[in-house]
Amino acid sequence: HRWVPIPNFGDLIPVAIVVMLVDLLESTSIARALAVKNKYELEANREIVGLGLANFVGECLKHRQPR
């Protein structure tokens, strides 16, 4: 017996990867357009790390206990 919250969870993994890649491409495209417009250099690795950290912190704050 294995614990899986959804019976066909494995079928959702390819869809989740595609959604992640589209989100990443969208975010980096916007960042690239802003970098060109404002004439600054874009460091793609830092942009991706920043996006990941922002998502992580957002999820942590979303699930915190109210005071």
Side-chain angles (χ1 to χ4, degrees), residues 18-38:
V18 169
V19 169
M20 177 200 63
L21 289 174
V22 168
D23 181 47
L24 184 63
L25 287 173
E26 179 186 19
S27 298
T28 54
S29 295
I30 293 170
R32 185 174 294 130
L34 289 172
V36 168
K37 179 182 176 183
N38 296 314

Side-chain angles (χ1 to χ4, degrees), residues 5-51:
I6 302 171
N8 57 348
F9 183 75
D11 296 338
L12 296 176
I13 292 174
V15 175
I17 291 171
V18 169
V19 169
M20 177 200 63
L21 289 174
V22 168
D23 181 47
L24 184 63
L25 287 173
E26 179 186 19
S27 298
T28 54
S29 295
I30 293 170
R32 185 174 294 130
L34 289 172
V36 168
K37 179 182 176 183
N38 296 314
K39 298 178 180 143
Y40 64 86
E41 186 177 338
L42 178 69
E43 295 182 36
N45 288 340
R46 291 182 77 180
E47 186 69 28
I48 293 169
V49 169
L51 182 63

